Amino acid sequence: MSEAFNAERLTRLCDFLQQSPTPWHATHSMAQRLEQAGFTRLEETANWQLVPGKRYYVTRNDSSVIAFQLPAGKLTSLRMLGAHTDSPGLRLKPNATQYSAGWLQLGVQVYGGVLLAPWFDRDLGLAGRVHVRHADGRLESVLLNVDRPVAMIPSLAIHMDRDVNAGRPINPQTQMAPVLMQSDTAKLNDLLAQWLEEQHGLRAVEVVDFELGFYDVQPPSLIGLRKELVASARLDNLLSCFVGLEALLECDASQGALLVANDHEEVGSASACGAQGPFLGDVLKRLNAQVGGGSEESLIQLIQSSLMISCDNAHALHPNFRDKHDERHGPAINGGPVIKVNASQRYATSSVTGALFRDVCREADVPVQSFVTRADMGCGSTIGPITATEVGVPTIDVGLPQWAMHSIRETSGTRDVDYLTRALTVFLNRPTLS
């Protein structure tokens, strides 16, 4: 197996991670790269006029995206890649302004399965989307990214909680409201008005609604004496979004290929733009109607002739907690992509799809690993089983090994980024799926 360390790709990855503090920013960043590569934007509310051999993309809720390239002839199968744009974190409550001990704080709610302890004593920015009303009554949605340290969640001194290192429970309602400034009169809407003017030149607008969350402003870094590791927020699952996009942009354009990046995976995917919603199914119906067979029969044939690779990171073997893995299924960082298997269908992998991916890795000359959780531990899930259930497409779950999943800062291997990109590119280029 050849060793891979693509410095230019890692630079693009770090830039993407830093520009994507929320699913809306991630979708916007991906859309920009797609347009630079010649993809045409489609609107779901418009009539589509698809041309064979061309490349297109469409978004939903501004937080999910599907990009696809069409073959020159009739569409009979698709090589599909799947990922998700959201990550666990702390989101603002609608009436977030609160005061305590002379300090302005903002009330938060937990989004997804957050590892809470690492959020203390971090430099926090604030990002998301804000909906404003102009003086003429027009509503507008804008992205906001306050990418400087404007808040923190201070820890309680050990002198006041001597047993804290024995595992004190954390209460997100009473103990995790970030501190913004020393004031008992400042209000969130006034701060939003200031930031909207700074970033968008908006004045005399009314803030009508928002979806905002805190994030760690520390930039991504290459870690280790030989830069073996990449550390960043939101590697789960923006790393997969990035790798999937890289593969789509690097593959040839001779056959059908599609990338879907859904929002809301971390909270169950049950939304119009989540994997349990109709977004992918709607797009496939429109593709079949215009460049496929056009019938319900041909849609089923198209789906069953296709394959989905669901990409979501895997738990790497932790050097300090080796007992948390099955001894034969502990993926190594920089050991290559991981096939994720679960007999209870928490992952969608079957022996058929697993064999196909192993053959893809052989062709791409990259190592491949397997992950199965311990039989006495629970297992997470991905968009893979949900997409397979909702759409019916044969699916495999794979991912890159990482430490500290769902922490405010996660860690993966630098060589693995190139390994998976190469494997996915080979998959998209394959003339047949058998």
Side-chain angles (χ1 to χ4, degrees):
M1 303 293 179
S2 59
E3 292 297 311
F5 189 105
N6 189 317
E8 292 182 1
R9 196 188 310 281
L10 289 173
T11 297
R12 290 196 298 272
L13 170 62
C14 291
D15 289 343
F16 172 63
L17 292 167
Q18 191 158 12
Q19 294 166 7
S20 305
T22 73
W24 304 282
H25 288 86
T27 298
H28 178 72
S29 298
M30 295 174 73
Q32 285 185 317
R33 282 202 68 191
L34 288 165
E35 291 189 359
Q36 291 167 2
F39 283 69
T40 299
R41 183 183 181 98
L42 299 170
E43 298 296 337
E44 288 198 279
T45 55
N47 291 323
W48 289 7
Q49 300 296 325
L50 303 178
V51 178
K54 298 296 184 180
R55 300 185 292 178
Y56 302 90
Y57 80 95
V58 59
T59 67
R60 180 173 286 190
N61 188 49
D62 296 325
S63 61
S64 297
V65 59
I66 294 176
F68 55 90
Q69 62 180 30
L70 300 175
K74 181 180 176 181
L75 178 64
T76 58
S77 70
L78 280 166
R79 291 108 183 93
M80 292 190 269
L81 307 176
H84 65 86
T85 58
D86 61 321
S87 302
L90 301 180
R91 300 278 182 94
L92 290 194
K93 295 179 178 179
N95 300 318
T97 301
Q98 61 187 56
Y99 310 97
S100 181
W103 290 90
L104 169 67
Q105 297 179 280
L106 296 180
V108 295
Q109 53 184 329
V110 175
Y111 179 88
V114 182
L115 193 60
L116 293 175
W119 279 79
F120 288 85
D121 306 316
R122 296 277 185 163
D123 295 348
L124 301 179
L126 186 69
R129 64 177 176 178
V130 181
H131 303 270
V132 300
R133 181 184 291 114
H134 291 265
D136 60 4
R138 177 173 52 92
L139 292 174
E140 182 182 8
S141 174
V142 296
L143 292 180
L144 182 70
N145 182 12
V146 186
D147 59 353
R148 60 185 186 271
V150 295
M152 69 174 301
I153 307 170
S155 292
L156 181 65
I158 194 170
H159 312 79
M160 299 178 178
D161 188 358
R162 294 288 185 179
D163 297 326
V164 63
N165 289 328
R168 171 176 56 82
I170 298 172
N171 187 320
Q173 172 69 23
T174 62
Q175 298 172 341
M176 295 202 68
V179 173
L180 276 80
M181 65 185 298
Q182 202 162 15
S183 172
D184 55 10
T185 58
K187 293 180 173 56
L188 173 60
N189 276 16
D190 294 333
L191 296 174
L192 291 178
Q194 172 188 330
W195 293 328
L196 289 169
E197 182 174 353
E198 290 176 1
Q199 295 188 19
H200 298 283
L202 294 175
R203 300 177 181 176
V205 294
E206 176 190 356
V207 174
V208 179
D209 212 338
F210 57 77
E211 292 172 274
L212 296 166
F214 288 101
Y215 73 98
D216 186 0
V217 298
Q218 182 180 1
S221 300
L222 301 186
I223 304 294
L225 293 178
R226 297 178 180 174
K227 298 183 178 180
E228 299 98 331
L229 303 171
V230 54
S232 174
R234 302 175 299 282
L235 289 179
D236 175 21
N237 192 33
L238 293 187
L239 179 54
S240 298
C241 292
F242 172 82
V243 170
L245 183 57
E246 289 274 299
L248 182 64
L249 297 182
E250 290 183 9
C251 74
D252 65 47
S254 62
Q255 55 197 11
L258 180 147
L259 168 66
V260 53
N262 290 111
D263 194 4
H264 297 148
E265 189 274 346
E266 298 293 358
V267 291
S269 295
S271 69
C273 59
Q276 195 175 334
F279 187 26
L280 177 58
D282 288 347
V283 170
L284 293 178
K285 290 175 185 176
R286 297 175 90 159
L287 295 186
N288 177 64
Q290 293 208 17
V291 293
S295 67
E296 184 176 347
E297 182 82 3
S298 64
L299 175 61
I300 297 174
Q301 292 172 344
L302 169 63
I303 291 171
Q304 292 308 311
S305 299
S306 301
L307 180 68
M308 161 74 79
I309 296 182
S310 165
C311 298
D312 203 344
N313 294 352
H315 298 295
L317 182 64
H318 196 303
N320 297 336
F321 299 93
R322 297 183 64 178
D323 62 322
K324 296 298 184 181
H325 279 79
D326 181 285
E327 62 181 358
R328 297 180 182 274
H329 300 92
I333 281 182
N334 288 320
V338 180
I339 297 175
K340 301 161 72 172
V341 179
N342 181 260
S344 298
Q345 291 299 296
R346 299 292 290 170
Y347 303 132
T349 305
S350 69
S351 59
V352 174
T353 57
L356 284 170
F357 188 73
R358 290 183 188 279
D359 200 50
V360 164
C361 290
R362 176 199 57 80
E363 184 178 339
D365 190 31
V366 303
V368 62
Q369 308 180 81
S370 297
F371 172 76
V372 181
T373 192
R374 286 175 55 108
D376 56 359
M377 293 178 64
C379 178
S381 192
T382 70
I383 69 165
I386 298 172
T387 302
T389 300
E390 296 295 326
V391 178
V393 61
T395 302
I396 180 172
D397 270 297
V398 307
L400 291 182
Q402 75 161 84
W403 293 326
M405 189 175 290
H406 290 195
S407 176
I408 196 171
R409 193 166 180 85
E410 303 166 323
T411 309
S412 290
T414 50
R415 292 199 300 274
D416 282 333
V417 177
D418 212 55
Y419 284 149
L420 184 55
T421 303
R422 286 160 49 191
L424 296 183
T425 303
V426 166
F427 165 69
L428 295 180
N429 284 337
R430 275 205 161 187
T432 62
L433 293 177
S434 59

